[in-house]
Structures are given as structure tokens and as C-alpha cells.
């Protein structure tokens, strides 16, 4: 089937309006929060490897500057447009507010299919895009900080940082102009997996309440549940790995070229290795092929994680979706109308602005690391280890018990950067879910509405406490 074009910003604003009805805020203030502050559209030439010139379209939208810097990924995709970038920037505003990350919302995009360009061409596009942002003061550690999104990753972020540093020589905080960088270029350990890890934390949190699982006919816990995941990119792959780690059975994986299904469960890393070798997930040993990836969204399962792209569950297929829990790994994978139908059927829908907030949370940790110019854990690790060892010795002395070398190694080891980052992410996802669930119960609303109520309330507070610039 063909995908219909569904304006995304209108979808986000539907959620906003539904949540606003529960808030006692002045219409003018709500209007100010909802509006997309600014969108910069650029067109620039790319010299292709064959010598021809192509005009490239790009955007940077800053939805809300109630906190600075603004923050949001850069997407390289063939169909991206201004509406989508504005919608994604708005989602960033609400997402950051929800998880108490002190940024305004932004998003950037370049309209290219990255698979059709060489690495050299992608580097030229990325550097020129960065230059265009720099020339308009739309990038900088205190101004606007991009990150990876669909079609971009650490490599592009390193190019952005290098270009920015060249244009701003001697700026001591230059590394903080972008997040999602390779660890050797000022990135933080744990960033690459963070969004997928956060998705898995979100599912784990939602599934730990027996009273919420009972109406779905499910026991608590991810273990043993039948999971379908769409997208094996940054978010989908890591989400699949962590959910697999919790004992979830990945019964189907959906990619561009089709889907594969096995009731016994798919080994995610083996599927990835097979795809690298053959160029496709199809034909994986022991699995059934589904030539239409979209049809596989309708498979019977406990949990469906759409983690590829927007508008995947729409009015067209929603009545055939059988999942009991849907975790929005991607931004906007379920349309507003489809959401209403799913909620009416009692499906537990975990909204994108919560579930995929792990990426921006760890981006925040990376930015703070860049501004402090020091790796997390560097100052205290050895000190903490010695303190832990002294504690073990005291316990041995008092109890006469002797710890084995194994016990010692595990108990005295202090957290390094990765452990601290993961712990900060886990705390953020747990605390945010607790807030969401409380609002959901108290207001008797769905989780997405609860998330928007919480986020809008926090942005409104920032506006009103500071006053709106005349
Ligand atoms: P990615 O480019 O790394 O991965 C996307 C994957 O989806 C690719 O493997 C691609 O082949 C696959 N895909 C494309 N079309 C498909 C289709 N029709 N059916 C099945 N699979 C398809 O992108 P990503 O960074 O993983 O982002 C995915 C989604 O998550 C996007 O909506 C993005 O905005 C959102 N997101 C990403 C991050 C992040 O940190 N990367 C953070 C928050 C939200």
C-alpha cells in the first residue's frame, strides 16, 4: 500500500490541544508555547563526485527558546519537509521539559536519501549545512546544539564539530556545539545506545504495575513477552538488544526490505550479521519472510515497538493492529486518529515524547561533560574504590567473614563514565514515568495526554516565572 501524507505538526498540535483542555492557562500563553518560534530554510549547492552540481534543501527549526540552547537532531531523509521539521522541533520542546532537560526544542533536516550519496558527498553536505547554520548564529554550545537523528550518526556529528571549531577558533566550549559525537571527539560513553536503552527502560517501567497489566491480560515484566520491532537502526537495534536482555522474545523484526518472523524468537545480533552479509534481513535461517514490512505491523504480539519512522499506524491499518502495548520508539509513528482508536480499545500506548527521550537525556550529559571539560568519574573513581575496599575490610574485621576476590572485585569497583551515564538515564526514565502515571491516574487521561499536560505545565512555568520578552 502507499503511505498517505499526514501533516505532522497538526498531529502534534492535536495532542497539545487535548492536553491544554486540562490546564488552567491563558489562551495567549498556550498559543505562545504551541507556535514554532522560527524556521530557517536554506538551499545550497553540492558538487557531486561526477562534477555535476545539485541544489540541496535544508531546514533548522527552533520551536521554543524558553530555555537555551535549543536542542534537536538533524535528519537526512528523502521526503522531509518544513512541516515535519517544525513538528519534530515541537516534540523536542515537550520531550526536554518532560524529562527535565534544560533545553528548548529544535530540529534540523536535509532533504537527501543518504544511501544515494558517497561518504565524501555526505561530508560536503554536512560541512556546508553547518556553515549555513553558523552564518545565521543557529549553532553553538549556548545557542542551538544539534544531535543525530534518522540518517545521521556520530560520523556526521564529528564533521559538524570540526566545521564549527574551524569557524570559531579558540572557542573553549566548541565541543559542546553538537552531541552524539564519537567518544574520541568529546562524545560520552553510552550515548549511541541511549535512545534504545531508554525505550527498553520505558517498557520495563510500564510493565511493572500488575494493575496496569491485568486489563491487557498480561503478567508483569518483559520476560517471556512476544515483541515485534520495526526498524533496526540506532533506536530499533538498541531497543531490541535491551528488550532481549530483559528476556523479551523478539518474534519479528521489520525493515525497509521486508520483515522476518519466528515464534521461537530471533537473535538480534545474528539478524544484523545476516543483513550485513546479504544486504537484507529476509532469508534469515529459521524465520518466515514477510515481503511487506508494513503488513507485519499487524502481527499478533504483546508489544509492538515502531522505531523507524512516522505515520506507521494510521486510520488505514489501526483496526488490524493486534499488539496490547505499543511503545513509540520513533517520533510520531502512530497518528492522532489512530491513537484515539487504540486507546478506545484499551491498548497501552507509550508516547514518543517519553519513550525516546533517552537520547536527549544523554545528549544533555554529553553537553555538560563538554562544558566541564572532564570525563565523568575521573575525579572520584579511585577514591571511591579505596573507600569501598576499606568498608569491605571493616565488615571482614567485624564479622570474621572473608570475601572472595570475585566479591571484592564486584563490591569495591566504582562507577566509570558509562555506568554513571546509564544510571542517570535510568533514574530519568523511572522518575518521568512515575510523574506520567500519577497524572494519568489523577486526571483520568491517557499517557500521551498526561505527558503533554506535564510538559506544557513545565514550559508554561518557565515562561511565566521569567516573563515573555515583549
Ligand atoms: P536510523 O536511520 O538509525 O534508523 C532507521 C531505521 O529504520 C533504518 O534501519 C531504516 O532502514 C529503517 N526503515 C526505514 N524505512 C523503513 C520502513 N518503511 N520499514 C521498516 N524499517 C524502515 O534512525 P534512528 O536514529 O534509529 O531514528 C529512528 C526514529 O527514532 C526516528 O523517528 C527518529 O526521529 C527517532 N529518534 C531517534 C533518536 C536518536 O537518538 N537517534 C532519538 C529520538 C528519536
Amino acid at each position: 500500500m502507499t503511505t498517505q501524507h499526514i501533516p505532522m505538526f497538526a498531529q502534534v498540535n492535536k495532542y497539545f490541544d487535548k492536553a491544554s483542555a486540562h490546564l488552567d492557562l491563558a489562551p495567549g500563553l498556550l498559543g505562545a508555547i504551541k507556535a514554532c518560534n522560527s524556521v530557517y530554510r536554506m538551499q545550497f549547492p553540492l558538487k557531486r563526485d561526477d562534477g555535476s552540481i545539485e541544489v540541496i534543501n535544508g531546514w533548522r527549526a527552533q520551536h521554543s527558546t524558553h530555555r537555551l540552547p535549543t536542542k534537536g537532531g538533524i535528519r537526512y531523509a528523502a521526503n522531509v519537509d518544513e512541516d515535519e521539521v517544525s513538528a519534530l522541533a515541537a516534540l523536542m520542546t515537550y520531550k526536554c521539559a518532560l524529562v527535565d532537560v534544560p533545553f528548548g526544542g529544535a530540529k534540523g533536516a536535509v532533504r537527501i536519501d543518504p544511501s544515494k550519496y558517497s561518504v565524501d558527498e555526505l561530508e560536503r553536505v554536512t560541512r556546508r549545512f553547518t556553515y549555513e547554520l553558523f552564518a545565521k548564529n543557529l549553532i553553538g554550545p549556548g545557542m542551538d546544539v544539534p544531535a543525530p537523528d534518522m540518517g545521521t550518526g556520530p560520523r556526521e556529528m564529528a564533521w559538524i564539530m570540526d566545521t564549527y571549531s574551524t569557524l570559531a577558533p579558540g572557542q573553549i566550549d566548541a565541543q559542546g556545539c553538537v552531541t552524539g559525537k564519537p567518544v574520541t571527539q568529546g562524545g560520552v560513553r553510552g550515548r549511541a545506545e541511549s535512545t534504545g536503552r531508554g525505550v527498553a527502560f520505558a517498557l520495563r517501567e510500564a510493565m511493572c504495575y500488575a494493575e496496569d497489566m491485568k486489563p491487557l491480560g498480561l503478567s508483569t515484566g518483559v520476560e517471556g513477552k512476544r515483541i515485534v520491532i520495526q526498524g533496526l537502526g540506532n533506536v530499533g537495534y538498541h531497543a531490541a538488544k535491551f528488550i532481549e536482555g530483559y528476556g523479551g522474545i523478539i518474534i519479528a523484526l521489520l525493515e525497509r526490505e521486508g520483515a522476518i518472523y519466528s515464534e521461537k524468537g530471533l537473535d538480534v545480533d545474528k539478524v544484523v550479521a545476516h543483513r550485513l552479509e546479504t544486504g537484507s534481513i529476509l532469508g534469515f535461517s529459521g524465520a518466515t519472510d514477510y515481503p511487506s514490512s508494513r503488513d507485519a505491523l499487524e502481527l499478533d504480539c504483546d508489544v509492538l515497538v515502531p522505531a523507524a519512522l512516522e505515520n506507521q499506524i494510521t486510520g488505514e491499518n489501526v483496526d488490524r493492529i493486534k499488539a496490547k502495548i505499543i511503545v513509540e520508539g520513533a517520533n510520531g509513528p502512530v497518528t492522532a486518529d489512530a491513537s484515539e482508536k487504540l486507546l478506545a480499545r484499551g491498548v497501552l500506548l507509550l508516547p514518543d515524547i517519553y519513550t525516546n527521550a533517552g537520547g536527549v537525556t544523554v545528549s544533555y550529559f554529553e553537553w555538560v561533560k563538554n562544558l566541564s571539560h572532564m570525563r565523568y568519574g575521573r575525579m572520584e573513581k579511585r577514591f571511591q574504590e579505596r573507600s569501598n575496599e576499606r568498608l569491605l575490610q571493616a565488615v571482614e574485621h567485624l564479622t570474621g567473614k572473608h570475601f572472595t576476590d570475585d566479591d571484592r572485585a564486584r563490591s569495591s569497583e566504582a562507577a566509570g563514565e558509562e555506568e554513571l551515564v546509564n544510571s542517570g538515564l535510568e533514574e530519568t526514565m523511572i522518575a518521568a514515568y512515575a510523574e506520567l502515571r500519577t497524572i494519568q491516574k489523577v486526571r483520568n487521561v491517557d499517557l500521551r495526554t498526561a505527558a503533554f499536560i506535564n510538559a506544557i505545565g513545565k514550559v508554561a512555568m518557565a515562561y511565566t516565572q521569567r516573563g515573555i520578552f515583549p
Side-chain angles (χ1 to χ4, degrees):
M1 61 150 288
T2 53
T3 320
Q4 63 196 116
H5 181 71
I6 301 170
M8 202 176 171
F9 201 15
Q11 305 276 315
V12 175
N13 287 337
K14 266 194 191 178
Y15 302 139
F16 184 99
D17 293 340
K18 188 176 170 189
S20 313
H22 294 267
L23 289 162
D24 187 19
L25 292 173
L29 176 59
L30 287 168
I33 296 171
K34 188 169 154 182
C36 186
N37 197 173
S38 63
V39 187
Y40 176 58
R41 179 176 71 89
M42 63 190 91
Q43 290 189 301
F44 55 84
L46 165 72
K47 189 166 183 182
R48 302 232 32 187
D49 291 343
D50 65 6
S52 64
I53 305 282
E54 187 179 319
V55 177
I56 302 289
N57 289 278
W59 293 266
R60 184 72 181 171
Q62 293 182 342
H63 172 261
S64 177
T65 51
H66 71 288
R67 294 207 192 285
L68 285 175
T70 48
K71 188 92 188 71
I74 295 184
R75 169 173 290 200
Y76 286 0
N79 300 319
V80 67
D81 59 21
E82 184 173 323
D83 174 77
E84 188 175 315
V85 182
S86 308
L88 292 165
L91 286 177
M92 284 304 294
T93 297
Y94 308 130
K95 196 176 297 185
C96 291
L98 193 64
V99 290
D100 295 322
V101 162
F103 297 137
K107 201 80 180 188
V110 177
R111 191 191 282 155
I112 52 167
D113 174 351
S115 68
K116 306 229 158 66
Y117 294 80
S118 70
V119 173
D120 284 349
E121 289 170 339
L122 289 173
E123 181 171 350
R124 290 200 284 280
V125 167
T126 307
R127 288 185 183 279
R128 178 63 188 250
F129 183 74
T130 310
Y131 173 79
E132 296 285 335
L133 295 179
F134 184 87
K136 298 285 184 245
N137 208 11
L138 290 173
I139 184 169
M143 191 56 73
D144 189 352
V145 181
D149 192 68
M150 194 190 286
T152 61
R155 179 184 67 181
E156 285 74 15
M157 302 307 115
W159 290 333
I160 290 174
M161 187 196 69
D162 185 62
T163 310
Y164 180 86
S165 311
T166 311
L167 293 167
Q171 197 188 101
I172 193 147
D173 291 330
Q175 272 194 333
C177 75
V178 65
T179 59
K181 303 178 289 290
V183 174
T184 52
Q185 300 298 319
V188 75
R189 288 164 185 80
R191 171 61 181 92
E193 313 88 293
S194 58
T195 310
R197 190 189 287 271
V199 168
F201 281 147
L203 177 62
R204 189 194 69 184
E205 283 311 292
M207 293 198 78
C208 73
Y209 296 94
E211 61 180 287
D212 296 349
M213 291 302 104
K214 204 166 162 216
L216 303 172
L218 293 174
S219 58
T220 54
V222 179
E223 192 173 353
K225 304 300 185 303
R226 298 161 64 248
I227 321 272
V228 172
I229 297 188
Q230 183 194 39
L232 263 179
N234 178 289
V235 181
Y237 167 73
H238 289 111
K241 283 294 294 172
F242 291 113
I243 290 172
E244 202 177 40
Y246 291 153
I249 305 168
I250 313 290
I251 60 162
L253 288 167
L254 287 51
E255 254 297 337
R256 288 170 195 273
E257 61 273 18
I260 51 172
Y261 165 81
S262 164
E263 199 53 39
K264 282 195 297 198
L266 299 159
D267 181 319
V268 177
D269 276 337
K270 284 190 180 151
V271 173
V272 170
H274 168 80
R275 189 171 191 232
L276 274 176
E277 198 184 311
T278 65
S280 168
I281 58 171
L282 298 175
F284 182 68
S285 164
T288 308
D289 285 349
Y290 273 72
S292 161
S293 175
R294 204 173 162 89
D295 288 353
L297 288 167
E298 298 164 19
L299 279 166
D300 176 63
C301 62
D302 297 319
V303 181
L304 171 61
V305 187
L309 64 175
E310 58 284 342
N311 298 335
Q312 292 306 290
I313 301 175
T314 66
E316 189 279 323
N317 61 357
V318 65
D319 292 334
R320 299 190 298 278
I321 299 292
K322 298 176 194 70
K324 296 170 180 154
I325 300 177
I326 297 180
V327 189
E328 292 187 325
N331 283 313
V334 183
T335 62
D337 295 350
S339 291
E340 291 302 329
K341 288 196 164 181
L342 292 167
L343 294 171
R345 267 170 35 202
V347 172
L348 180 63
L349 186 50
L350 300 181
D352 48 9
I353 63 167
Y354 165 60
T355 51
N356 67 30
V360 74
T361 301
V362 176
S363 274
Y364 168 46
F365 300 157
E366 180 176 334
W367 179 75
V368 171
K369 173 186 177 180
N370 293 153
L371 299 190
S372 74
H373 300 268
M374 195 169 328
R375 160 168 60 82
Y376 289 109
R378 178 170 171 178
M379 294 292 273
E380 61 272 35
K381 190 165 193 300
R382 297 287 154 182
F383 178 81
Q384 190 66 52
E385 279 176 0
R386 277 196 288 274
S387 300
N388 294 349
E389 176 57 29
R390 277 198 295 275
L391 188 64
L392 291 183
Q393 284 169 5
V395 173
E396 281 180 334
H397 182 71
L398 286 171
T399 63
K401 175 180 161 64
H402 183 72
F403 292 107
T404 63
D405 286 350
D406 249 16
D407 288 339
R408 276 212 127 66
R410 260 185 288 119
S411 312
S412 60
E413 194 187 13
E417 179 168 273
E418 191 161 357
E419 291 82 10
L420 290 168
V421 163
N422 293 342
S423 143
L425 171 61
E426 184 169 12
E427 165 59 18
T428 303
M429 296 305 290
I430 291 174
Y433 193 73
E435 283 184 12
L436 274 193
R437 192 166 175 275
T438 304
I439 296 171
Q440 179 207 21
K441 303 286 175 208
V442 171
R443 304 261 189 175
N444 194 21
V445 292
D446 57 276
L447 281 169
R448 192 189 315 273
T449 305
F452 273 79
I453 288 174
N454 200 8
I456 296 168
K458 288 180 184 181
V459 179
M461 180 95 78
Y463 264 116
T464 47
Q465 284 179 345
R466 222 179 51 167
I468 296 177
F469 198 68

